[in-house]
Amino acid sequence: MTARPNWDEIRALSRSVLREGGPLTLTDDVRALLLQTAEEVAVSDAAAALQSDAGALALLRECARRITDGSNRLVDALYRMHRLQDAGNWEEARQQMREVLAVEVVPYYRELATEQLDDMADAP
Protein backbone atom coordinates (compact mmCIF):
# COMPACT_ATOMS: atom_id res chain seq x y z
CA MET A 1 0.00 0.00 0.00
CA THR A 2 1.14 3.49 -0.80
CA ALA A 3 1.89 5.66 2.20
CA ARG A 4 -1.00 7.89 3.19
CA PRO A 5 -0.40 11.35 1.75
CA ASN A 6 -0.08 14.15 4.26
CA TRP A 7 -2.36 16.84 2.93
CA ASP A 8 -2.38 19.00 6.07
CA GLU A 9 -0.29 21.76 4.47
CA ILE A 10 -2.34 21.94 1.28
CA ARG A 11 -5.55 21.95 3.32
CA ALA A 12 -4.22 24.83 5.43
CA LEU A 13 -3.18 26.74 2.32
CA SER A 14 -6.54 26.09 0.71
CA ARG A 15 -8.39 27.27 3.79
CA SER A 16 -6.28 30.43 4.01
CA VAL A 17 -6.55 31.33 0.34
CA LEU A 18 -9.83 29.89 -0.90
CA ARG A 19 -12.04 30.22 2.17
CA GLU A 20 -10.55 33.16 4.02
CA GLY A 21 -9.50 35.16 0.97
CA GLY A 22 -5.82 35.38 1.85
CA PRO A 23 -3.17 35.89 -0.81
CA LEU A 24 -1.50 33.03 -2.64
CA THR A 25 2.17 33.91 -2.44
CA LEU A 26 4.17 31.67 -4.76
CA THR A 27 7.28 31.05 -2.71
CA ASP A 28 9.54 28.12 -3.56
CA ASP A 29 7.91 26.12 -0.74
CA VAL A 30 4.40 26.85 -1.98
CA ARG A 31 5.37 25.93 -5.55
CA ALA A 32 6.88 22.65 -4.32
CA LEU A 33 3.77 21.92 -2.25
CA LEU A 34 1.48 22.56 -5.20
CA LEU A 35 3.60 20.41 -7.52
CA GLN A 36 3.77 17.54 -5.04
CA THR A 37 0.06 17.68 -4.31
CA ALA A 38 -0.82 17.90 -8.00
CA GLU A 39 1.14 14.72 -8.58
CA GLU A 40 -0.56 13.00 -5.64
CA VAL A 41 -4.04 13.88 -6.92
CA ALA A 42 -3.27 13.22 -10.61
CA VAL A 43 -3.44 16.77 -11.95
CA SER A 44 -1.46 17.11 -15.15
CA ASP A 45 0.33 20.25 -16.36
CA ALA A 46 0.90 21.56 -12.83
CA ALA A 47 4.20 23.16 -13.80
CA ALA A 48 2.49 25.10 -16.56
CA ALA A 49 -0.21 26.26 -14.15
CA LEU A 50 2.46 27.72 -11.87
CA GLN A 51 3.56 30.14 -14.58
CA SER A 52 0.85 32.60 -13.56
CA ASP A 53 -0.94 33.64 -10.40
CA ALA A 54 -4.30 32.72 -11.93
CA GLY A 55 -2.99 29.31 -12.95
CA ALA A 56 -1.57 28.67 -9.50
CA LEU A 57 -4.88 29.62 -7.91
CA ALA A 58 -6.75 27.30 -10.27
CA LEU A 59 -4.27 24.52 -9.45
CA LEU A 60 -4.78 25.00 -5.72
CA ARG A 61 -8.54 24.98 -6.21
CA GLU A 62 -8.42 21.77 -8.30
CA CYS A 63 -6.12 19.96 -5.86
CA ALA A 64 -8.33 20.89 -2.92
CA ARG A 65 -11.45 19.85 -4.83
CA ARG A 66 -10.02 16.45 -5.73
CA ILE A 67 -8.94 15.78 -2.15
CA THR A 68 -12.30 16.77 -0.69
CA ASP A 69 -14.52 15.22 -3.34
CA GLY A 70 -12.56 11.98 -3.38
CA SER A 71 -12.59 11.70 0.38
CA ASN A 72 -16.32 12.38 0.58
CA ARG A 73 -17.04 9.92 -2.24
CA LEU A 74 -15.00 7.17 -0.61
CA VAL A 75 -16.34 7.69 2.91
CA ASP A 76 -19.93 7.70 1.66
CA ALA A 77 -19.34 4.53 -0.36
CA LEU A 78 -17.64 2.83 2.60
CA TYR A 79 -20.62 3.64 4.80
CA ARG A 80 -23.03 2.16 2.25
CA MET A 81 -20.72 -0.83 1.68
CA HIS A 82 -20.64 -1.69 5.39
CA ARG A 83 -24.41 -1.38 5.70
CA LEU A 84 -24.86 -3.67 2.70
CA GLN A 85 -22.37 -6.17 4.11
CA ASP A 86 -24.25 -6.18 7.42
CA ALA A 87 -27.44 -6.91 5.47
CA GLY A 88 -25.69 -9.77 3.66
CA ASN A 89 -25.81 -8.06 0.27
CA TRP A 90 -22.22 -8.62 -0.77
CA GLU A 91 -22.69 -7.98 -4.48
CA GLU A 92 -24.15 -4.51 -3.86
CA ALA A 93 -21.41 -3.89 -1.30
CA ARG A 94 -18.82 -4.65 -3.98
CA GLN A 95 -20.70 -2.41 -6.40
CA GLN A 96 -20.12 0.55 -4.06
CA MET A 97 -16.37 0.25 -4.56
CA ARG A 98 -16.73 -0.37 -8.30
CA GLU A 99 -18.67 2.87 -8.58
CA VAL A 100 -15.92 4.74 -6.75
CA LEU A 101 -13.32 3.25 -9.08
CA ALA A 102 -15.38 4.25 -12.12
CA VAL A 103 -14.99 7.96 -11.34
CA GLU A 104 -12.13 8.43 -8.88
CA VAL A 105 -8.89 9.92 -10.19
CA VAL A 106 -6.85 10.32 -6.98
CA PRO A 107 -4.50 7.32 -6.84
CA TYR A 108 -4.59 7.02 -3.05
CA TYR A 109 -8.40 6.87 -2.96
CA ARG A 110 -8.41 4.43 -5.88
CA GLU A 111 -6.01 2.21 -3.98
CA LEU A 112 -8.21 2.23 -0.88
CA ALA A 113 -11.30 1.34 -2.92
CA THR A 114 -9.41 -1.46 -4.68
CA GLU A 115 -8.26 -2.86 -1.34
CA GLN A 116 -11.83 -2.87 -0.07
CA LEU A 117 -12.98 -4.66 -3.19
CA ASP A 118 -10.14 -7.19 -2.88
CA ASP A 119 -11.06 -7.80 0.76
CA MET A 120 -14.53 -8.84 -0.37
CA ALA A 121 -13.28 -11.24 -3.05
CA ASP A 122 -13.82 -14.34 -0.89
CA ALA A 123 -17.12 -13.18 0.56
CA PRO A 124 -20.36 -14.77 -0.67
Side-chain angles (χ1 to χ4, degrees):
M1 178 175 174
T2 305
R4 181 178 186 272
N6 183 349
W7 288 322
D8 292 344
E9 286 184 63
I10 199 75
R11 285 183 176 122
L13 180 63
S14 173
R15 184 174 39 258
S16 170
V17 173
L18 301 176
R19 290 188 194 161
E20 298 169 2
L24 178 58
T25 306
L26 290 177
T27 64
D28 289 343
D29 288 344
V30 169
R31 285 178 190 278
L33 176 63
L34 287 168
L35 287 171
Q36 175 185 338
T37 305
E39 183 178 329
E40 291 171 345
V41 299
V43 173
S44 59
D45 298 329
L50 291 176
Q51 299 304 309
S52 71
D53 290 344
L57 185 60
L59 179 60
L60 174 61
R61 187 173 285 116
E62 182 61 15
C63 288
R65 184 192 69 76
R66 288 186 184 201
I67 290 167
T68 300
D69 289 357
S71 176
N72 290 341
R73 181 182 303 112
L74 183 61
V75 168
D76 291 348
L78 286 168
Y79 173 76
R80 290 188 304 270
M81 180 194 77
H82 288 297
R83 292 197 51 158
L84 289 162
Q85 285 174 339
D86 291 346
N89 191 342
W90 289 91
E91 188 51 39
E92 284 299 314
R94 288 181 195 95
Q95 185 60 30
Q96 298 305 307
M97 291 303 108
R98 288 186 199 112
E99 289 174 9
V100 168
L101 290 169
V103 297
E104 186 57 58
V105 296
V106 175
Y108 178 68
Y109 295 143
R110 289 188 58 79
E111 185 175 334
L112 293 176
T114 299
E115 288 174 1
Q116 289 298 316
L117 197 54
D118 290 348
D119 287 347
M120 291 186 278
D122 294 333

